[in-house]
């Protein structure tokens, strides 16, 4: 019994001690909780104070920035807002973005018209009507545009009093179909031979193409065929070449003065000989040219061109219309024509006012066969000639210059030369007047003579600005 | 090491160096300066013109074709300003990166509300899309800078922060200058002047000046004595005392100045390649000239 009482007492004492211990621990937890609460409150107060200070700082900064904006000019801000509103309201631009017709006008062709009117007078005693007249040399209508991103087309029609309407050029130019800087031109067009021949007459610095170009190349050397072009940079300079193959080495000119005055064509497509043709019967042309940038205002271009026309047809004294009736008439097929040209062009123009100087010289060698259908005899003629044109620009509107031309006749013995001076006045971008005097040594009339020409060239509508090389 | 390896290494090195910077080509020095300021060291910039040219008759040079062939970004003024030479070069350059419609082609005028030509319909040499001389409005050029930054970012997203930072720095610099120019011209607000060609409209609008008329009777047409006398009569009535035009027209400017007993200012309407301070330096020079020459004659030239 006593031992049980002791055990019970010990248990009670232990419980009492445990309760006492638990009670002590609870007080400690409460104390710690109270401390944490106090610390939290303090941190919140600090954060609040800190944020309030930062907010106040930001408000001050915003007020300052607003003040600066006002200082920069409230009218400026109004201007900006107005212009932005105008941009947003600009109707036509937005309207244009939506196609409202069946055919889009994005690829519409550009149309241009160039008219050339020429008055001429001469020192010849008799009134040679060709030289005493006011003539419409021609009206050229150009239609040019893009078929798509890769293909462009160009058509030039020529209308004049003598020949009516004729097709000058009609070609397509493929740029992006070929890699690198290759491009392909195909159709009927002025062949890339020399500097002067490919130009249209209204683009010349003088009224007519030089006599040597007319005699050896027929004015504008023109062909129906295909021409491959390529250029590559040589540092800041440039090298360009082309290679063409053509059905014929045809040509076109509308000559006002000189031995070939009144000439329109040297070689007509109608003169094509009948029969099958191999590759050896086509005409070939190659050109290589380098353009050097001497100074920011001056360039020098050097070029060489070679035309090989194995079967040149226009010289045959042969009436093809009678061919069926007279099968016995002999035909000479393998006549050759080879023309080699070398050109030099120097240009130094001040772009601020258009003043400066430019000069062009072309040297040509022509080797050509002619045949007599009656006898079957073939003769080969060699001829050399050159021409030089210099033009001094007083400004972008007014220029004066001189031109000299000397050549051995391509198909007959003898030489011709002429020298001229000219003044050109552009009274605006679309109108140009030229006064030209030229002294011809011309065996046609058996005497020397002077020709005076006044040329008015006017452009309406689109006009191209191609690269000058 | 054989020659083949050396050539390969040189080509690789060249390609690496090229990849480090964007080749930017601009049509004018003004645009070149903006591109340099926005692009910083990530771009090499070349202007196709030098600043003294009549932009309608720029000499086409072979190096232009080479630059356009290499370019990653082309910035033009637009509004037909470069119509006589840039399209032909672009076609021949055959560079897809700068073809219109790509990120590498920037027509700066799209950032600007174009000013209608007052001479529209009076004759030849028109800009039917609007007056292209917006570089004389610094606010417009601020927007052009934004456009350049946007395109540079599109071409080189990794440098977005740099372009944004440079854009902001340029905008701040422009604002500072603008405030100064407005302050300097404020006393001359409403002052009237004569221009040779329709050029200075944006500048006049921005700074509260008035243009009485133009010496050219029609765009691109030289004035006759009657036109000069008639305009001089109007100028005397309106109190216009300044005639402004490009240096090649100095003779006509001086003649008109004599007729109105005023002064002439022969100045190109864009910065030059070697312009100190670039575009902002040029505008500073323009404002200084206008302030000096619009002031009463005793203190002017």
């Amino acid at each position: 019994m006593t031992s049980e009482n002791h055990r019970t007492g010990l248990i009670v004492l232990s419980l009492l001690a445990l309760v006492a211990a638990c009670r002590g621990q609870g007080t400690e937890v409460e104390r710690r909780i109270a401390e944490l609460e106090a610390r939290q409150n303090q941190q919140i107060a600090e954060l609040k104070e800190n944020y309030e200070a930062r907010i106040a700082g930001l408000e001050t900064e915003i007020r300052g920035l607003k003040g600066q904006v006002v200082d920069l000019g409230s009218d400026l801000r109004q201007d900006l807002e107005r212009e932005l509103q105008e941009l947003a309201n600009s109707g036509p631009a937005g309207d244009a973005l939506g196609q409202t017709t069946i055919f889009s006008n994005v690829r519409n062709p550009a149309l241009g018209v160039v008219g050339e009117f020429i008055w001429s007078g001469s020192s010849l005693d008799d009134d040679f009507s060709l030289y005493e007249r006011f003539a419409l040399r021609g009206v050229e209508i150009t239609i040019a545009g893009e078929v798509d991103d890769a293909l462009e087309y160009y058509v030039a029609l020529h209308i004049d009093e003598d020949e009516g309407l004729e097709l000058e050029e009609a070609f397509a130019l493929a740029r992006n179909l070929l890699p690198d800087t290759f491009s392909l031109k195909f159709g009927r067009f002025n062949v890339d031979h020399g500097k002067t021949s490919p130009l249209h007459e209204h683009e010349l610095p003088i009224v007519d193409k030089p006599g040597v170009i007319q005699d050896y190349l027929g004015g504008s050397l023109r062909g129906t065929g295909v021409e491959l072009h390529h250029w590559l940079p040589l540092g800041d300079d440039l090298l360009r070449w082309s290679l063409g193959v053509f059905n014929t080495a045809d040509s076109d000119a509308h000559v006002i003065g000189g031995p070939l005055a009144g000439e329109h064509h040297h070689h007509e497509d109608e003169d094509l000989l009948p029969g099958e043709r191999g590759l050896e019967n086509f005409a070939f042309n190659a050109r290589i040219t380098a353009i050097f940038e001497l100074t920011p205002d001056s360039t020098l271009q050097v070029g060489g061109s070679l035309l090989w026309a194995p079967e040149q047809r226009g010289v045959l004294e042969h009436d093809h219309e009678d061919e069926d009736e007279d099968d016995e008439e002999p035909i000479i097929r393998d006549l050759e024509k080879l023309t080699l040209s070398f050109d030099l062009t120097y240009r130094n123009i001040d772009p601020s006012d258009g003043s400066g100087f430019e000069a062009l010289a072309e040297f040509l060698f022509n080797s050509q066969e002619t045949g007599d259908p009656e006898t079957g005899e073939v003769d080969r003629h060699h001829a050399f000639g050159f021409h030089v044109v210099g033009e001094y620009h007083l400004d972008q509107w007014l220029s004066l210059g001189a031109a000299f031309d000397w050549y051995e006749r391509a198909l007959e013995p003898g030489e011709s030369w002429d020298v001229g001076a000219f003044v050109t006045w552009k009274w605006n971008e679309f109108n140009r007047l030229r006064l030209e005097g030229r002294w011809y040594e011309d065996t046609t009339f058996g005497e020397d003579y002077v020709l005076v020409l006044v040329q008015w060239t006017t452009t309406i509508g689109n006009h191209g600005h191609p690269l000058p090389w | 090491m054989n020659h083949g390896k050396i050539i390969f290494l040189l080509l690789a090195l060249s390609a690496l160096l090229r990849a480090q910077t964007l080749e930017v080509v601009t049509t004018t020095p003004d645009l070149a300066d903006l591109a340099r300021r926005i692009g910083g060291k990530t771009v090499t910039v070349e202007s196709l013109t030098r600043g003294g040219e009549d932009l309608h008759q720029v000499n086409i040079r072979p190096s232009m074709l080479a630059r356009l062939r290499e370019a990653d970004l082309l910035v033009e003024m637009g509004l037909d300003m470069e119509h006589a030479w840039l399209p032909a070069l672009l076609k021949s350059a055959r560079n897809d990166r700068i073809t219109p419609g790509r990120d590498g082609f920037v027509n700066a005028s799209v950032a600007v509300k174009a000013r209608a030509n007052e001479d529209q319909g009076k004759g030849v040499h028109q800009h039917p899309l609007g007056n292209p001389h917006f570089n004389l409005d610094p606010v417009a050029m601020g927007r052009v800078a934004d456009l350049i930054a946007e395109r540079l970012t599109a071409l080189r997203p990794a440098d977005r922060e740099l372009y944004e930072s440079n854009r902001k720095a340029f905008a701040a610099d422009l604002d500072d200058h603008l405030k100064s120019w407005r302050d300097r011209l404020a006393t001359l607000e409403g002052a009237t002047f004569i221009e040779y060609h329709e050029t200075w409209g944006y500048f006049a609008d921005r700074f509260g000046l008035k243009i009485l008329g133009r010496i050219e009777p029609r765009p691109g047409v030289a004035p006759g004595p009657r036109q000069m006398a008639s305009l001089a009569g109007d100028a005397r009535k309106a109190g216009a005392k300044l005639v402004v035009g490009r240096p090649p027209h100095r003779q006509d400017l001086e003649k008109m100045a004599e007729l109105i007993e005023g002064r002439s200012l022969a100045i190109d309407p864009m910065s030059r390649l070697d312009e100190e301070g670039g575009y902002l330096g040029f505008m500073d020079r323009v404002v200084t000239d206008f302030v000096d020459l619009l002031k009463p004659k005793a203190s002017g030239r």
Side-chain angles (χ1 to χ4, degrees), chain A residues 71-73 75-76 79-80 83 86-87 90 146 152 175-183 231 233 235-238 291-293 295-299 347 349-354 396-397 427-431 463 465-469, chain B residues 50 52-67 69-70 83-85 88-89 91-94 96 110-114 124-126 137 139 143 175-176 178-179 182 205-206 218-222 246 248-249 268:
Chain A
D71 284 348
L72 279 178
D75 52 345
L76 170 60
D79 282 352
L80 284 169
E83 287 176 23
E86 283 173 353
L87 274 172
S90 54
E146 293 174 340
E152 298 164 26
R175 290 186 199 266
N176 298 334
L177 292 177
L178 298 177
D180 197 47
T181 55
F182 282 97
S183 58
W231 70 268
D236 280 349
D237 304 318
L238 184 145
I291 304 97
F292 302 100
E293 189 169 317
T295 70
D297 292 340
S298 63
T299 53
R347 195 165 191 271
I349 301 289
D350 180 345
S352 66
D353 62 0
Q396 71 182 100
W397 309 115
W427 76 81
N428 57 45
E429 194 181 345
F430 294 83
N431 284 284
H463 57 289
H465 292 280
L467 297 184
W469 318 304
Chain B
R50 289 173 291 160
E53 296 96 333
D54 175 349
L55 285 185
H56 300 301
Q57 53 166 18
V58 168
N59 284 340
I60 297 181
R61 308 189 307 271
S63 62
M64 292 175 167
L65 211 46
R67 294 296 88 77
R69 179 87 182 135
E70 298 156 359
H83 85 283
W85 51 282
L89 283 165
K91 287 253 181 196
S92 294
R94 297 277 297 278
D96 284 346
V110 303
V112 175
K113 168 70 179 171
V124 296
H125 185 76
Q126 301 165 342
D137 176 4
V139 174
R143 284 183 221 138
D175 282 346
D176 287 345
L178 193 57
K179 186 174 185 305
R182 294 173 79 94
D205 283 354
R206 179 59 58 202
R218 285 179 295 162
V221 176
R246 292 184 59 239
H249 303 129
D268 283 308

Side-chain angles (χ1 to χ4, degrees), chain B residues 72-193:
Chain B
D72 298 304
L73 178 70
L74 168 67
V75 190
E76 64 154 17
M77 291 289 285
L79 298 176
D80 288 343
M81 184 78 138
E82 300 97 344
H83 85 283
W85 51 282
L86 189 63
L89 283 165
L90 261 181
K91 287 253 181 196
S92 294
R94 297 277 297 278
N95 180 346
D96 284 346
R97 295 186 297 276
I98 56 169
T99 300
R102 300 284 174 93
D103 280 340
F105 177 83
V106 174
N107 173 356
S109 69
V110 303
V112 175
K113 168 70 179 171
R115 196 173 189 279
N117 272 322
E118 289 173 21
D119 277 340
Q120 192 70 35
K122 284 189 184 172
V124 296
H125 185 76
Q126 301 165 342
H127 292 282
L129 302 174
N131 187 326
H133 299 284
F134 56 83
N135 62 307
L136 295 169
D137 176 4
V139 174
M141 289 299 268
R143 284 183 221 138
V144 172
D146 293 347
L147 183 59
I148 292 172
E150 182 187 301
R151 292 304 179 84
L152 284 173
T153 304
L155 293 174
R156 212 173 164 115
D159 288 314
R160 176 188 297 274
E161 285 179 14
L162 172 74
Y163 299 142
E164 181 57 16
S165 149
N166 287 350
R167 187 192 67 78
K168 283 181 178 168
F170 177 72
D173 202 1
L174 181 65
D175 282 346
D176 287 345
H177 279 83
L178 193 57
K179 186 174 185 305
S180 153
W181 296 331
R182 294 173 79 94
D183 288 347
R184 289 162 67 193
L185 284 163
T187 55
L188 300 166
E189 191 164 344
T192 306
F193 66 96

Side-chain angles (χ1 to χ4, degrees), chain A residues 254-359:
Chain A
H254 307 91
V255 187
I256 298 296
L260 297 173
E263 281 280 329
H264 289 286
H265 299 274
H266 270 193
H267 320 298
E268 300 278 3
D269 273 342
E270 302 90 72
D271 289 332
L272 279 171
L273 293 175
E276 289 185 7
R277 310 177 71 218
L279 190 62
E280 71 277 9
N281 299 124
F282 285 88
F284 294 88
N285 184 77
R287 174 163 170 78
I288 185 162
T289 180
I291 304 97
F292 302 100
E293 189 169 317
L294 305 179
T295 70
D297 292 340
S298 63
T299 53
L300 175 69
Q301 180 175 6
V302 184
S305 310
L306 174 70
L307 168 72
W308 183 53
E311 194 175 40
Q312 194 244 349
R313 294 167 189 81
V315 295
L316 290 176
E317 295 173 359
H318 168 74
D319 188 353
H320 305 297
E321 287 178 4
D322 298 335
E323 206 162 39
D324 293 338
E325 298 166 15
D326 184 7
D327 290 333
E328 299 301 314
E329 188 177 348
I331 295 171
I332 299 173
R333 288 184 180 276
D334 298 322
L335 299 174
E336 279 193 355
K337 176 182 169 65
L338 185 143
T339 308
L340 186 64
S341 306
F342 175 73
D343 56 88
L344 270 173
T345 311
Y346 174 74
R347 195 165 191 271
N348 188 340
I349 301 289
D350 180 345
S352 66
D353 62 0
S355 66
F357 177 73
E358 54 188 323

Side-chain angles (χ1 to χ4, degrees), chain A residues 78-130:
Chain A
Q78 283 168 7
D79 282 352
L80 284 169
E81 284 167 358
R82 178 180 55 81
E83 287 176 23
L84 283 170
Q85 191 59 45
E86 283 173 353
L87 274 172
N89 294 342
S90 54
D95 293 345
L97 296 175
Q99 184 180 333
T100 54
T101 58
I102 294 171
F103 300 109
S104 165
N105 61 4
V106 172
R107 306 281 184 194
N108 273 1
L111 302 175
V113 177
V114 181
E116 280 217 295
F117 304 89
I118 296 176
W119 173 85
S120 57
S122 81
S123 63
L124 288 166
D125 289 338
D126 53 341
D127 288 340
F128 187 54
S129 62
L130 200 58

